[in-house]
Each structure stands twice: as C-alpha cells, then as structure tokens.
Amino acid sequence: MNETKIILPDRDIPRQWYNIMADMPNLPKPPLHPGTKQPIGPDDLKAIFPMSLIEQEVSTQRWIDIPEEVHKIYSLWRPSPLYRAHRLEAALNTPAKIYYKYEGVSPAGSHKPNTSIPQAYYNKKAGVKRIATETGAGQWGSALALAGSLFGIDVTVYMVKVSFNQKPYRRIAMETWGATVHASPSTITNSGRKILEADPDSPGSLGIAISEAVEDAATHDDTNYALGSVLNHVLLHQTVIGLEAKKQFELAGDYPDVIIGCCGGGSNLGGVSFPFLQDKINGKQLRVIAAEPISCPTLTKGEFRYDFGDTAGLTPLMMMYTLGHDFMPPGIHAGGLRYHADAPLVCQLYKDNLIEAVAFGQTACFEAAIQFAKTEGLIPAPESSHAIRGAIDEALRAKEEGKEKTIFFNLSGHGYLDMTAYEDYLAGKLVDYAYPDEKIKEALAKLPVI
Ligand SMILES: *Cc1c(COP(=O)(O)O)cnc(C)c1O
C-alpha cells in the first residue's frame, strides 16, 4: 500500500475502550490513603470523582463501552489519520517504514480531549456543576475547558505560573471556551498560600497546581477534580488512539515492530500502545518505547516506590517510578513532560519489561521536530518531538543494520501555540539540561517510607 494517509471510513470509531488491567501479568499495587497509608477504597475518592470514573479506575473488565454522547463528540475529529512518513523516510534514506498517528486534529490540538470529553460527560451525569483542574503549558486545561463548554460545566484551571506568564495563547483559548484560569501558586487555596509564603516568586509546578485543584474540589460540594494523565481511567480513554491505529494498520497491510510515544504522565503512550501490548502479552514480537526528557527522567532515573501525585501530599500515594513529589523540573519547552512521576500502569509495565524507556535532550528533539516539519509539513508539539527523535533514531539504526522494520509513533499534538520554543531553538538559545543525580537523590530521600 503506497498511500501516505490511511483514514478509516467515516465514523468507524471504536465503540469500546480497551482496559489493559484485564491482561497485565502483574496489576499495579493499590493506591494508599495519604494519611493512614492503608489501601484506599472507592469512598475515599467520592469527594472529588464521580462513581462511574472511580469504577473505571479499579475495573479489570477488558472492554468498557464508550457512551453514545461521547462517541458523537469523538466523531467531530475522530478517527484521527494514520500517516506513512514517506518523505521523512526518504530524507533519512532508511529501509524502515515510519508511520505516525496524528492527534493534533482535535479542537484543542492534542490527544487530551480523548479523556476530557468522557470525564466531563460522567461528571455532568453525576450532577456536578464545576470541575477544578491543573495545567502545565495549557494543553490539559484547554482540553477540559473545551469539554466543559460542550457539556455545560464550569471549569476552573490552576495554571503553572511560569506558563501563565510566558504562554498567553492557551490561557486565552481556555477563556474563550469559558473557563476561569488562575496562575498557580495562587492565593485562593491553602496549598498555594503556603508555597507563596515560603517563596513569593515561586514559578509553580504541576505538583503544586494539582494540590490547589484537589483542595478546591475537596472543599466545595458541587465541585469535582479531573486529571489529564496518570490515572487508570485516563489511559483507558486514550486507548481509542491505539484501537483505531490497529484497524488502520490492517488497512495498510502492515503491523508495527516498534511503537514510540513521548511520556509525561504516560497517557498518550498508554493510549497508543496498550491495544498492541495486548498482542505482545499474547506472544507477538513488538517493542514499545517511552521517550522522556533528560531534564525529567522519570523512568530512566527514577525509583519504583510509593509517592504522592502532588507537591502538598493531598493525593493518594501511588506506586510509580518517581523523582520525588517536590522535584522541581527545569523550565524546558516540553511543559507537558515535566511531571515528577508516571502512570502506575505504565510504571508496572516498564517494571515487567513490556515497555522500554529512552531519554533525550531538548536540542536533539527540536532538531528531529524540524526535520519532521520540513519533510512531513506538520509542526509538532515540543512534547511530541521526543517521540519523533525516538522514531528517527530507530530508523537510522535500521539503516546501519540494513534491516527493514516498521516504526510507529504517536504525534500527540501540534506545536502552533509553541512558536516561542521554536524561536528560541532557531536563535540557538536552547540548552540541554540533564537533571543532576544528587538532586534526584535529595528529592527521593524525602519520600514517605512505606
Ligand atoms: C500533555 C501532553 C503530553 C504529555 O502527557 P502524557 O500523559 O504523557 O501523554 C504529550 N504531548 C502533548 C501534545 C501533550 O499535550
């Protein structure tokens, strides 16, 4: 098959999400209550999540129905296209075939609406009036703002202050969809005020913004909380990516040898790879690679242990590869990859050698992004450029080895609101920053002993 763009017939969108918990050799260890350090039950989460999402969080049922209303909204931009990167292959002069799934076609420009839409839907059904959340560079906040506007739910977003100041366009997008956006740390919550007392100039972090949003939700009856990555139900919703891709590969008469996704919290990687990992668990040869930044090297340098999901220690403790919950990542441009840990599902699969990980510096990633933009046309999100770096490296290795191989990566979003990042790269202003090992040790020394 020689076509560049493989599209599924109109509305041929999956009717069910795939739950990898039905097939994993080892399930993740249970989340623990932040106070008692005992396993939490559904009741502990009721203050901030609707029961339907809590059920999905713990479900081991293999297939979970996508509600009709969610399916309808998915069809605004899904199925997303699978492209064969013929021009990139030619530029690399590689015997490898390179495919990518393009999630930048969603209204918010990334894969995140795949989960913001069902999360808003289930909250609406539960009678929730407002959702509080955090956002780093603004992709998750915009995805939830969009979903809130479609279902008539108010959305309050705590946006990491450094991005709030440096990246006004996503804030304006969120406000256009009707959300209220606060720079975090803010003076609205106890968690925010505490951080500001200690450091009035705090640039904020995802961990701090999560503390603020969780506190907001926990202290208001009509308000719930939503998370854009990490949790099991988020990765479940994202499996629409991989399920569509499987059908598209069938149409193309091909199947990937290697699947690559960038990894911040693990949701796009999980979404693109889990339906294929089901085949791997059943004996198929296949590699899945998480591509992360060297400045926030969670899987490649972190430790597998219980940690909080946020800075203040309000969330349950989860078993994750972590750099420590008060890890302060340097301000690289891939804001969506600056989280101190990864999804428990991805971490367990990494522990069990079903997923591999690599870390790249940001200049090597921008170099790959620009080669991609010049050959394939699309300008990728800085986060997605990590997956492109991984794919190009695999293609170059195939060339060295003189081997044919099918490489598949997820292009998680476009970069059209990240132009200052490209401007800095083109002006030679970007530097690589590998997070020092001593600093990681320092942050890890502060973790709770379980
Ligand atoms: C948020 C984001 C990521 C990182 O989040 P994951 O949960 O690891 O997928 C990657 N790419 C884009 C475009 C994003 O918006």
Side-chain angles (χ1 to χ4, degrees), residues 103-104 108-112 137-140 170 228-230 234-235 238 261-271 291 334-338 342-343 380-385 410-415 418:
E103 290 296 310
S110 76
H111 63 294
K112 292 200 170 75
Q139 288 111 325
W140 169 242
R170 283 218 177 79
S229 185
V230 178
V234 177
L235 275 61
Q238 292 295 352
C262 65
C263 191
S267 74
N268 88 88
L269 172 74
L337 304 185
R338 293 171 68 219
D342 280 316
E383 290 84 2
S384 317
S385 73
N410 192 41
L411 187 59
S412 51
H414 68 61
D418 301 284

Side-chain angles (χ1 to χ4, degrees), residues 47 127-131 153-154 216-217 219-224:
V128 170
K129 300 277 181 289
R130 185 169 70 96
I131 302 178
I153 295 184
D154 290 340
D216 184 334
T219 51
H220 293 93
D221 278 348
D222 63 350
T223 304
N224 264 352

Side-chain angles (χ1 to χ4, degrees), residues 55-255:
E55 278 163 12
Q56 290 182 0
E57 190 61 22
V58 297
S59 171
T60 52
Q61 189 184 311
R62 184 169 291 114
W63 297 101
I64 294 179
D65 287 346
I66 299 175
E68 180 60 29
E69 274 181 73
V70 170
H71 196 267
K72 266 194 195 136
I73 293 178
Y74 275 174
S75 74
L76 292 176
W77 71 92
R78 307 209 69 85
S80 69
L82 178 78
Y83 289 95
R84 169 93 185 263
H86 283 297
R87 287 175 189 80
L88 178 61
E89 290 169 18
L92 297 170
N93 191 22
T94 174
K97 291 183 267 184
I98 305 175
Y99 294 85
Y100 60 96
K101 182 92 166 144
Y102 184 42
E103 290 296 310
V105 291
S106 83
S110 76
H111 63 294
K112 292 200 170 75
N114 296 333
T115 184
S116 71
I117 298 295
Q119 288 195 52
Y121 166 81
Y122 290 118
N123 274 290
K124 178 76 182 182
K125 269 192 65 175
V128 170
K129 300 277 181 289
R130 185 169 70 96
I131 302 178
T133 197
E134 73 291 331
T135 196
Q139 288 111 325
W140 169 242
S142 12
L144 193 68
L146 162 76
S149 73
L150 294 175
F151 285 105
I153 295 184
D154 290 340
V155 172
T156 303
V157 183
Y158 294 87
M159 182 174 190
V160 177
K161 191 181 278 168
V162 54
S163 302
F164 184 93
N165 293 331
Q166 284 174 0
K167 303 188 169 177
Y169 293 125
R170 283 218 177 79
R171 170 176 61 76
I172 298 165
M174 290 185 257
E175 289 169 350
T176 301
W177 281 310
T180 305
V181 187
H182 304 294
S184 165
S186 77
T187 53
I188 299 167
T189 65
N190 283 330
S191 319
R193 284 190 292 269
K194 229 190 241 169
I195 299 275
L196 287 174
E197 262 165 40
D199 177 10
D201 298 323
S202 167
S205 72
L206 218 45
I208 295 170
I210 296 175
S211 298
E212 291 208 89
V214 169
E215 183 184 325
D216 184 334
T219 51
H220 293 93
D221 278 348
D222 63 350
T223 304
N224 264 352
Y225 169 70
L227 192 61
S229 185
V230 178
L231 299 181
N232 302 345
H233 66 265
V234 177
L235 275 61
L236 171 78
H237 301 154
Q238 292 295 352
T239 59
V240 286
I241 306 172
L243 291 166
E244 284 176 10
K246 265 182 124 169
K247 285 197 198 168
Q248 286 163 315
F249 269 101
E250 246 174 69
L251 283 180
D254 211 339
Y255 191 92

